[in-house]
Amino acid sequence: MKLAIPNANGFVKQHFGKSKEFIIFDISDREIKGHKLLSTAPFQHNYEELAKLLVREGVDTLILGSAGLRAIQILQQHGLKVITGASGSVREAAIAYARGAHLRHTPFNSVNPKHVLSR
């Protein structure tokens, strides 16, 4: 499986829409087998194209800090599993997920109310 996490100097980027890069982790047998940095700067707030790019890269799961309702819906429409509410180290989040840590897969557990109310 491939897991993508928005990166900001090694930490989970808290504003998904402003993410300029993601780290994509290859996970197998509950271990990280590899990773790569993917630049997504041209796709800030362009959720449709970002979702397409992540799918082309083979990503099936995203771990995010917060995201607006519209972004989550678009990502899910492209078949991506979205987990929100993450913070701290990108690598530690990936390791925890790989080892089976219980992360909530509730698409609205960390929706940014500003995004919901402004639409």
Side-chain angles (χ1 to χ4, degrees):
M1 77 155 301
K2 286 193 178 181
L3 168 71
I5 304 176
N7 180 51
N9 298 315
F11 292 92
V12 178
K13 174 81 173 171
Q14 290 302 299
H15 187 151
F16 169 71
K18 292 186 178 181
S19 300
K20 293 181 181 180
E21 63 185 28
F22 283 74
I23 298 180
I24 299 176
F25 294 91
D26 289 307
I27 298 174
S28 178
D29 298 323
R30 298 172 61 102
E31 291 183 16
I32 294 173
K33 302 295 185 179
H35 69 278
K36 78 175 199 175
L37 189 64
L38 177 68
S39 174
T40 57
F43 304 114
Q44 290 179 309
H45 287 109
N46 186 343
Y47 311 125
E48 186 74 30
E49 292 305 314
L50 179 58
K52 289 177 184 177
L53 175 63
L54 292 169
V55 168
R56 279 194 306 271
E57 290 289 328
V59 171
D60 50 49
T61 303
L62 286 125
I63 294 180
L64 309 175
S66 69
L69 178 61
R70 183 171 157 266
I72 291 171
Q73 289 173 332
I74 290 170
L75 293 168
Q76 290 176 333
Q77 287 169 358
H78 284 273
L80 295 163
K81 179 179 177 181
V82 179
I83 300 167
T84 59
S87 63
S89 162
V90 168
R91 184 153 184 81
E92 290 301 315
I95 290 169
Y97 186 78
R99 292 182 179 164
H102 181 67
L103 300 173
R104 295 186 297 178
H105 177 217
T106 308
F108 310 113
N109 67 334
S110 185
V111 172
N112 185 332
K114 176 182 161 205
H115 289 117
V116 175
L117 296 174
S118 67
R119 302 236 178 258

